[in-house]
Amino acid sequence: MMITRRKYAAAALLSALALAPSAHAEGLGVEANYGRADGHWGTEIGAGYAMDVAGFSLTPGAGVYLRDGNTKLYGRVEAAYTLPASATIGAGVRVSGDNVRPYATIAMPIFPKLRAKGNIGPKYYTLGLTLGY
């Protein structure tokens, strides 16, 4: 009898998670990342605006890449989906000078509106924090 109740409780919980609407991000956000881009190690500091589009978020953004005492502007756009009560996964494109880099992205919540984020692609990888969205 106890096993049957646990099975029903587990089934109900899984159904609720599967049917729960995703926590879609919308609004302004800022990011600070450290990683390798354009052949150098450095820090990205940027901002973007997330928009809900058919269950996904579309986030155009821009910022500066600080490395070896120099600065370089970059632009990016990301499309992502937030799994219910979990991670945000997606893909993006970063443009800096003549370099166009596609990448995959994942973000995990730390606190409300604060997430740890990682990006990885050909000759581009970063790890950092996102605040907002």
Side-chain angles (χ1 to χ4, degrees):
M1 187 72 164
M2 186 63 117
I3 294 174
T4 303
R5 287 184 189 167
R6 286 184 185 165
K7 285 182 182 178
Y8 284 126
L13 177 62
L14 289 174
S15 297
L17 286 175
L19 297 175
S22 299
H24 298 296
E26 186 157 303
L28 291 172
V30 294
E31 289 186 6
N33 301 310
Y34 183 78
R36 188 162 177 88
D38 301 332
H40 300 277
W41 288 94
T43 302
E44 290 181 336
I45 300 172
Y49 187 84
M51 299 170 279
D52 283 341
V53 178
F56 290 82
S57 64
L58 184 64
T59 308
V64 294
Y65 180 57
L66 309 169
R67 62 171 177 87
D68 302 326
N70 296 319
T71 61
K72 196 169 188 181
L73 296 176
Y74 72 89
R76 66 171 172 79
V77 64
E78 291 179 357
Y81 181 75
T82 301
L83 301 169
S86 185
T88 299
I89 56 173
V93 175
R94 181 184 186 271
V95 179
S96 179
D98 294 334
N99 297 319
V100 177
R101 305 269 189 238
Y103 61 90
T105 186
I106 186 167
M108 300 293 292
I110 298 172
F111 295 111
K113 299 290 185 178
L114 180 65
R115 294 175 289 161
K117 182 180 179 189
N119 300 324
I120 187 165
K123 299 183 182 181
Y124 173 65
Y125 37 91
T126 63
L127 187 60
L129 295 173
T130 300
L131 178 64
Y133 303 128

